[in-house]
Amino acid sequence: MRSLCLLLLLTLVGVTATAQTQDDELSLSELGFSQGVGEFTQHKYFKFLSKPIVSNGAFVVAGQDLLWQTSRPVFSQILLKEDAIYRRLNQEQPFELLVKGSQINQLLSAVLTGNIKAKDWTITTNTPLCFELVPLQAQMSQLFSHVNLCKTGDASRQVTLFDPQDNKTIIMMTLTSNQLTPAERSSLELR
Amino acid sequence: MSYANWRPRAKALVWLAQFSVVVAVLLWITLAKPLTLNSDLSAIFQTNQHGELATLKQQIEQQGVKTQIVLVGQPSLAQAIVASDKLAQQLSQLPGIVNVTHIYDKMPSAAKIAKQNLPFSQLLLSDSFKKLLEAGDGQAIYNHQFSMLNQLANPYVGLTLEQDKTLAMADYLSRSFLPSSGLSLEAERLVARDNGMTYVLVLFETQASGLNVNQSQALVEKITELKQQGDSDIVYTGAIFYASEASKTGQFEMTLFSTLSMAFMLVLVMASYRQLNSLLSTIWVIAVSGLYGYCALSLCFDEVSVVALIFAITLIGISADYSFHGLSELRFNRVNRLSPLANIERSLTLSYFTTAAGYVVLLLAPFELFKQVALFTIAGLLGAYLTVTLLYPWLAFKRGQSPVAIPAYIARINQFHQRLNQRLSLTKMVLPVALVVLIGLIASGQVNDDVRSFYSVSATITDNEARVKSILSQRTEMQYILVEGDTAQQVLTREEQVTTMLDDLRQNDALQQYSAITQWLPSITSQRNNLALLTKAQTSGLFNQIQALLGPIKLNLEPRDYLTPEHWFNTNLGAIFKSQWLVQDTKYYSVVRLAGINDLAKISQQFSGLEHIHWVDKAGEISSQVGQFRESLLYIILAAMAAALAVFAQRFGVKLACYAIASPAVALIIALGLSMMFQGNLSIFNLIAGVLILALGLDYSVFYAEHGFEKTITITTLMSALSSIAVFAILMLSSMPAIKSFGLTVFIGVCVVFILAPQVTKIPHRNKHES
């Protein structure tokens, strides 16, 4: 009888866990967007620095491609493509390859666009509007120990990236439009 | 008692004795050191090189030959991992395969790499960071530093920033150290993506670098079988796949060509001699010649190229000639029973020596392939010559037949040939044509010494290689630079000179990429310079902006340990580059690998003739040796013709000797001219074919000069020509461009020389009665 109870309990726990994951995905899906333009402000906290390093700029998203353009204090562009990450410090110059491979850029793109896949993360809910994501891949956990993803408004969110050295990056993102102009679309091309 | 007076029985006994010795040697070879077939295409033009450097180069090349690449593709990474695990497990169970690598769980973590390198911070600078400091533009330096700080996913910034606020170490470690820019490390696998498919890399090594036929075929068949079993897209490349195909093609062509040659030969014998004994005798001569050739090859080589054996099929046609000479004499002439071949023995001997002399030229070639072909043919022909001159007289003595009439068709061909010979004028008609062709040949000068064009591989193999390169974004070239030095630091300093030159070549678009140890491990001198550069940048205020953001930068100017090869190769990063560092005796060597060569001539010119820096281009070196040998061969052909002219002049008089030499010479020129027309250029194989045309042509000339335009000579030269034409025409079917070229030229040459050879009969022979 005790065994039967234990089995029943385990089954119920399993069902609850599955339901929880499905709920998370549903809620998370509200945070996701597949296309749009917006602005961001980034605060980077290093544990040995008293003040954060602040930067701001704009982003453009179309599917898996994401352009992350820092305008202040220093111009730079990071382009996340399906299979690589590129960078340039000057718009006159061509992009240079930063990282080859799809895993980092896909996960980074997922974090920034909110298109989270449950298979890549352990997802827990901190508050009604916040999720804590812990990467499942060992290689990814070298980059982020965990990520907090919070909805801060209809078109805004806060992404907090924690690295294994306890440094953190807080990014405030605001989606200004979910339509792309031809110029914005062409900015996602590798030129 | 002279050899000419030996009785047939004595000759037969001598033949039996020497044959027994050969059979005994063959048995010993079979048991002690059986000859293995090598199907490695890269070994076709292997040259015998000696010396420390040559050994080292071979060692580097062998490593490349041993490593094989397989990419297992599936729509998703998870599926690709499952499929690649299965393939790797099956591969590791195959005999002859070692070191199957597909899991990279020992790849160092970013934290470990940073920890190993941090003690050397400020000593190590990436090229781009160094250039920024050298340019002295504070804003550009700050932009670079800030963009690194601002990156969302760079583990090295967080790991090194506290100790190195210049961000030089973070920048230094952020570069990719993977062997191919198309690869990324995911789920402990090296992964590449292409056209919506995810590929996992599986590497394996073959035990032996010289792959024998059975090994390579069995391995590749198994891999093909594994490929067919699953639904994965398996793409592969490596020497073993080339070797397997070469051995398959080689074995197929050897079987097909030898069967066709033998069948044609037998039909020819039956049609001309109409006697089973003649057929059996010819088969015996061919078999004995093959045996002698094989025996000589086994004695002198441990491995023989499968391509050499395809060439060696020509022995069937040439050795059968000796049988034809003997059979024609015995069958159609009334002969002395005690010395039935007395009439042709001298001609046969002269014929053997002229043909063998032709092949001896190939023994002088610096390539194993030509040596193997030459040795097989010389020994094989010796077997045929001895069998005909020593055994045929005894067979004739035993049978004691009366002569039979020459077949009517031979008489008709002889009549036609005689009429043609009368109408043709060597001096007025043929020589002017040959002269024009020769001038055309010299003027065009279209020669092809590129060793890569001498053999071809199937589209499957080349497509697979192209796909692997495309999926891995790999453009690594066969050429590399070898830097030598008496100390490790000397090698690193010299390698830095090389990389400076390579950077210039990159700027000029002659080269896309290179991989050198000093990109990660600078010499101590460079490490000191790096620290000096950083110090200068700091004192010049170039770090003011980043210091305002991160706080003061403290450079460690105290005496400290520098990063040395001994230390670095024991770190995780150094281990990746260990194959590019060699220590032999007291010397140190480093290998600089190149990728995406756009201007080979420019790079080769830049690095040729430098002291302690060696430009290694195996294909280029062989091509250059082929070119040198081709030039030497021209002179050898001219010298051989001059020697033959001198011998013939002494025996037949100057005028007849000139005619006797002119026929094969003209045939050679016309054959080369037509080959050039068909191929668009000439290669070493056309010239080697020229040696054979000369040798066969001189044979015909000798027989016509000695015996006149007799029907028995016509039947012999006709059969000899037909057998040669058939064998060489069959070689034209080969898939190997080298063999095809050879077959084409000999085919044309033999046709022409057969028509022209009787021209000597127009000149009175001053010693004819003596002979």
Side-chain angles (χ1 to χ4, degrees), chain B residues 241-262:
Chain B
F241 300 100
Y242 283 85
S244 165
E245 193 191 71
S247 66
K248 261 191 198 166
T249 312
Q251 283 181 333
F252 170 73
E253 290 190 359
M254 246 185 345
T255 315
L256 177 72
F257 297 169
S258 53
T259 310
L260 285 175
S261 302
M262 278 302 286

Side-chain angles (χ1 to χ4, degrees), chain A residues 24-148:
Chain A
D24 286 348
E25 276 191 89
L26 282 172
S27 307
L28 274 169
S29 65
E30 288 171 29
L31 279 173
F33 65 98
S34 58
Q35 182 177 291
V37 290
E39 288 160 357
F40 73 87
T41 305
Q42 181 178 305
H43 289 73
K44 201 146 194 173
Y45 293 87
F46 287 98
K47 61 180 182 185
F48 68 96
L49 286 180
S50 52
K51 284 195 291 184
I53 296 165
V54 184
S55 60
N56 57 50
F59 61 85
V60 183
V61 175
Q64 290 206 319
D65 297 347
L66 188 152
L67 178 76
W68 193 259
Q69 179 179 302
T70 306
S71 308
R72 286 202 186 100
V74 169
F75 176 88
S76 71
Q77 281 185 330
I78 299 281
L79 182 58
L80 305 181
K81 299 292 279 186
E82 193 187 353
D83 60 348
I85 304 177
Y86 301 87
R87 176 184 67 173
R88 67 177 166 191
L89 303 182
N90 187 327
Q91 227 159 350
E92 313 303 308
Q93 287 171 348
F95 279 102
E96 56 171 323
L97 178 73
L98 208 59
V99 182
K100 183 79 184 177
S102 63
Q103 212 172 21
I104 294 173
N105 41 339
Q106 280 177 7
L107 289 195
L108 202 54
S109 171
V111 164
L112 296 173
T113 59
N115 294 312
I116 304 297
K117 288 178 186 160
K119 70 178 177 63
D120 296 328
W121 311 86
T122 304
I123 305 164
T124 48
T125 314
N126 284 349
T127 64
L129 294 175
C130 281
F131 298 94
E132 187 183 273
L133 316 174
V134 178
L136 289 173
Q137 290 278 347
Q139 203 200 348
M140 290 309 296
S141 57
Q142 291 187 40
L143 300 176
F144 314 121
S145 57
H146 63 283
V147 176
N148 283 350

Side-chain angles (χ1 to χ4, degrees), chain B residues 437-674:
Chain B
V437 175
L438 184 65
I439 292 167
L441 280 172
I442 294 168
S444 74
Q446 294 281 324
V447 285
N448 174 20
D449 294 329
D450 186 356
V451 70
R452 285 159 289 209
S453 67
F454 295 159
Y455 52 81
S456 63
V457 284
S458 73
T460 315
I461 297 280
T462 47
D463 286 354
N464 263 286
E465 182 173 336
R467 280 194 67 200
V468 168
K469 282 190 170 179
S470 152
I471 294 169
L472 298 181
S473 307
Q474 195 186 39
R475 299 180 301 269
T476 307
E477 308 281 357
M478 298 295 285
Q479 296 86 352
Y480 60 94
I481 297 159
L482 191 63
V483 184
E484 70 167 302
D486 295 327
T487 63
Q489 286 306 315
Q490 201 174 47
V491 172
L492 293 177
T493 311
R494 284 175 184 159
E495 198 192 90
E496 280 163 353
Q497 290 165 9
V498 169
T499 55
T500 309
M501 291 162 80
L502 288 173
D503 285 335
D504 287 343
L505 287 164
R506 280 184 64 194
Q507 279 203 327
N508 294 326
D509 213 25
L511 175 74
Q512 290 177 17
Q513 287 295 332
Y514 64 85
S515 162
I517 283 170
T518 45
Q519 287 172 308
W520 292 94
L521 169 68
S523 67
I524 289 177
T525 313
S526 287
Q527 291 178 47
R528 281 199 194 104
N529 292 342
N530 288 344
L531 183 59
L533 200 58
L534 279 171
T535 313
K536 190 182 163 200
Q538 193 186 25
T539 50
S540 313
L542 297 179
F543 294 146
N544 286 353
Q545 282 177 282
I546 200 77
Q547 285 189 101
L549 198 66
L550 302 177
I553 291 172
K554 285 180 194 155
L555 295 179
N556 180 1
L557 301 172
E558 298 298 313
R560 56 200 285 201
D561 285 339
Y562 291 97
L563 186 59
T564 59
E566 294 76 25
H567 179 93
W568 190 66
F569 284 117
N570 287 317
T571 66
N572 296 96
L573 206 51
I576 297 171
F577 292 84
K578 223 167 185 171
S579 65
Q580 285 176 246
W581 185 257
L582 300 119
V583 183
Q584 199 157 342
D585 300 327
T586 53
K587 289 247 180 188
Y588 293 81
Y589 298 89
S590 77
V591 177
V592 180
R593 299 202 182 280
L594 309 176
I597 291 178
N598 298 330
D599 191 341
L600 183 63
K602 199 170 186 177
I603 301 170
S604 154
Q605 190 191 1
Q606 195 94 320
F607 290 99
S608 297
L610 296 178
E611 214 176 343
H612 309 297
I613 294 166
H614 309 277
W615 166 249
V616 186
D617 176 8
K618 193 183 174 191
E621 271 173 43
I622 295 173
S623 299
S624 142
Q625 279 179 310
V626 166
Q628 285 166 13
F629 182 61
R630 177 181 47 75
E631 280 170 19
S632 316
L633 204 57
L634 271 177
Y635 294 111
I636 291 168
I637 289 173
L638 289 175
M641 284 166 66
L645 187 69
V647 173
F648 286 11
Q650 205 231 341
R651 176 153 181 78
F652 307 121
V654 175
K655 194 173 180 187
L656 192 146
C658 287
Y659 265 74
I661 301 296
S663 303
V666 164
L668 169 64
I669 292 167
I670 291 173
L672 290 179
L674 289 176

Side-chain angles (χ1 to χ4, degrees), chain B residues 721-748:
Chain B
L722 283 179
S723 64
S724 301
I725 287 167
V727 169
F728 292 105
I730 287 166
L731 285 193
M732 284 159 61
L733 303 173
S734 174
S735 61
M736 294 263 180
I739 296 173
K740 203 183 271 189
S741 293
F742 180 74
L744 172 72
T745 307
V746 184
F747 171 78
I748 301 168

Side-chain angles (χ1 to χ4, degrees), chain B residues 86-135:
Chain B
K86 192 177 166 194
L87 180 81
Q89 198 246 336
Q90 287 170 321
L91 278 176
S92 56
Q93 286 170 357
L94 294 180
I97 286 184
V98 288
N99 295 343
V100 181
T101 317
H102 69 298
I103 298 173
Y104 295 84
D105 53 350
K106 301 283 188 294
M107 288 297 259
S109 65
K112 196 168 181 184
I113 291 177
K115 194 180 167 191
Q116 287 171 342
N117 283 277
L118 268 172
F120 306 99
S121 60
Q122 298 155 12
L123 298 177
L124 308 174
L125 297 179
S126 73
D127 269 351
S128 56
F129 204 91
K130 207 185 292 181
K131 277 184 189 132
L132 275 171
L133 295 181
E134 282 166 349

